[in-house]
Amino acid sequence: MEVNKNTLAQTMAFLLLIPPESNLAKLLKLCFVTRYNRESLGQNALEKSYQLINNPLDLPYWIQEVIQSDEKITPEEWQAFGEMNLKETQDFINNLWKELDDLKL
């Protein structure tokens, strides 16, 4: 249980430092509202997350798979996706990496 508490504290500290208007916050908001179904994709959430980290330019396809994994797309998922304003994937990802690098944990 101590490991879980430590992980929770680290995750909370990380989330507290993210500016709400950042690309990182927008991606995390999408993750929060998504009802991910690992059975339909054959990957647990960590595996699916690493898939994006390893292939960040696949973000639009990754989003589509994640939000459709439970075979329905909610209004909250559409809203979060729209707020990402994902016109240029490379620019979005570059800004996201910069935001991540700028966090002082």
Side-chain angles (χ1 to χ4, degrees):
M1 182 66 162
E2 194 60 38
V3 172
N4 288 339
K5 289 180 183 178
N6 189 37
T7 300
L8 176 60
Q10 289 175 352
T11 303
M12 289 171 59
F14 173 75
L15 293 172
L16 287 169
L17 295 174
I18 299 171
E21 68 281 353
S22 68
N23 285 358
L24 183 55
K26 292 172 186 175
L27 176 61
L28 292 174
K29 180 178 180 181
L30 180 85
C31 293
F32 283 133
V33 299
T34 298
R35 290 176 170 83
Y36 182 70
N37 180 350
R38 69 188 215 174
E39 282 80 29
S40 72
L41 296 179
Q43 293 177 303
N44 67 37
L46 184 59
E47 292 168 331
K48 193 65 179 169
S49 298
Y50 272 122
Q51 183 182 16
L52 176 61
I53 299 303
N54 292 327
N55 301 297
L57 294 180
D58 288 346
L59 178 62
Y61 307 106
W62 184 88
I63 291 170
Q64 182 179 4
E65 287 181 349
V66 168
I67 64 176
Q68 291 179 343
S69 67
D70 68 347
E71 299 180 3
K72 52 188 151 197
I73 301 174
T74 66
E76 294 82 12
E77 289 169 332
W78 275 120
Q79 180 181 356
F81 174 66
E83 289 172 3
M84 292 176 76
N85 198 24
L86 193 59
K87 294 178 181 164
E88 291 292 330
T89 303
Q90 183 69 58
D91 292 342
F92 185 91
I93 293 296
N94 288 344
N95 286 333
L96 187 141
W97 291 150
K98 183 176 180 340
E99 294 162 2
L100 194 58
D101 286 340
D102 290 346
L103 290 179
K104 305 291 186 242
L105 294 176

